[in-house]
Amino acid sequence: MSRRSGILEFAVLGLLRESPMHGYELRKRLNTSLGVFRAFSYGSLYPCLKSLVGQGWLVEEPAMETGDPLAAPLTGRRGKIVYRLTAEGKEHFEELLAQTGPDAWEDEHFGVRFAFFGQTSRDVRVRVLEGRRSRLEERLAKMRASLARTRERLDDYTLELQRHGMESVEREVRWLTELIESERAGRDEPEAAGPRRPGSRTEGETGGLPRHRGGTPPDPSEDTTT
């Protein structure tokens, strides 16, 4: 399985954990909620869904149609299929959520992982954020070293492009540092009293996203390479 198809499977399982959906609705959610999937087509999505069904992580169910129950048979058109996450699929997705290896830090995969931070435990969020920051700090050091070696040979426009790439990475490193500090501060906050719904979190658990001064935070799925 390629890395990109693995990311798609992760995103599909995560969205279906929220609620069952049919293919068209799922594709819209992939496009609107996870912008990195704008390039995906039905040709990519449906083989992924078929694979997940075959592995027992999803099941196909007929959609509940309104109106005349005889309409669909008379028209001869196939009714919509709804995809629902199975218990095994939910368990598999939770295993994926707990992973904090290098794949979770890469440009494209990090954006998807971040989109599902609301379903991720705080300790895992911190490890993924720290891994991402470490990776970008390494990239930034290499970019600075390369610029120092080649500065005299670059024209003004190429030099400005290099600087722009470095500023993008520096901005994301600052953003990640704010998030990490916020998550760590949340560990010390007491949990709210009273019963909690399954899967719900208190304000202390989420850590709270930092308030950004001076503009919109960087898109975590943005490719910061130059």
Side-chain angles (χ1 to χ4, degrees):
M1 179 175 60
S2 68
R3 174 177 295 178
R4 190 158 176 80
S5 62
I7 298 171
L8 178 59
E9 288 190 1
F10 176 87
V12 167
L13 292 172
L15 290 175
L16 291 178
R17 189 190 188 196
E18 299 173 2
S19 64
M21 302 181 204
H22 55 75
Y24 178 71
E25 182 183 8
L26 185 58
R27 183 169 182 253
K28 286 201 304 182
R29 287 291 307 278
L30 287 169
N31 289 339
T32 58
S33 302
L34 307 171
V36 294
F37 289 106
R38 292 192 183 108
F40 274 101
S41 64
Y42 281 116
S44 300
L45 177 59
Y46 282 102
C48 173
L49 291 170
K50 183 178 180 180
S51 173
L52 295 174
V53 170
Q55 295 178 79
W57 295 332
L58 301 182
V59 292
E60 296 178 332
E61 298 176 339
M64 296 297 293
E65 301 287 349
T66 58
D68 186 355
L70 297 178
L74 289 176
T75 58
R77 292 185 300 176
R78 182 186 177 189
K80 290 182 179 179
I81 298 297
V82 170
Y83 296 90
R84 180 175 59 81
L85 197 65
T86 64
E88 293 79 6
K90 181 178 180 181
E91 181 178 353
H92 177 65
F93 179 68
E94 290 173 350
E95 292 173 354
L96 295 177
L97 279 180
Q99 295 179 2
T100 59
D103 280 350
W105 314 336
E106 299 299 335
D107 293 336
E108 189 174 74
H109 205 167
F110 174 75
V112 180
R113 286 298 302 268
F114 191 85
F116 291 100
F117 264 21
Q119 302 183 39
T120 307
S121 68
R122 180 185 295 137
D123 289 344
V124 171
R125 292 197 302 263
V126 171
R127 288 196 294 272
V128 172
L129 291 171
E130 289 177 336
R132 175 65 174 174
R133 182 175 63 176
S134 176
R135 178 60 53 85
L136 290 183
E137 287 173 340
E138 293 174 2
R139 182 183 300 174
L140 189 58
K142 292 179 180 178
M143 294 172 71
R144 286 169 175 163
S146 176
L147 184 61
R149 291 193 305 269
T150 61
R151 181 186 299 271
E152 300 301 325
R153 302 195 297 270
L154 299 177
D155 61 56
D156 291 343
Y157 295 101
T158 304
L159 184 61
E160 191 62 29
L161 184 62
Q162 294 287 332
R163 288 172 175 166
H164 173 70
M166 288 177 55
E167 289 172 359
S168 297
V169 178
E170 290 170 344
R171 185 171 64 251
E172 186 171 348
V173 168
R174 291 193 298 269
W175 174 69
L176 290 165
T177 298
E178 291 180 10
L179 288 173
I180 292 168
E181 292 174 351
S182 179
E183 293 285 354
R184 287 174 174 168
R187 288 174 174 165
D188 300 326
E189 297 179 13
E191 292 191 359
R196 297 160 55 191
R197 299 188 307 274
S200 66
R201 294 171 300 278
T202 64
E203 183 178 352
E205 281 184 289
T206 61
L209 295 179
R211 295 183 180 274
H212 294 273
R213 295 182 290 273
T216 303
D219 183 350
S221 65
E222 181 181 12
D223 185 2
T224 53
T225 57
T226 59

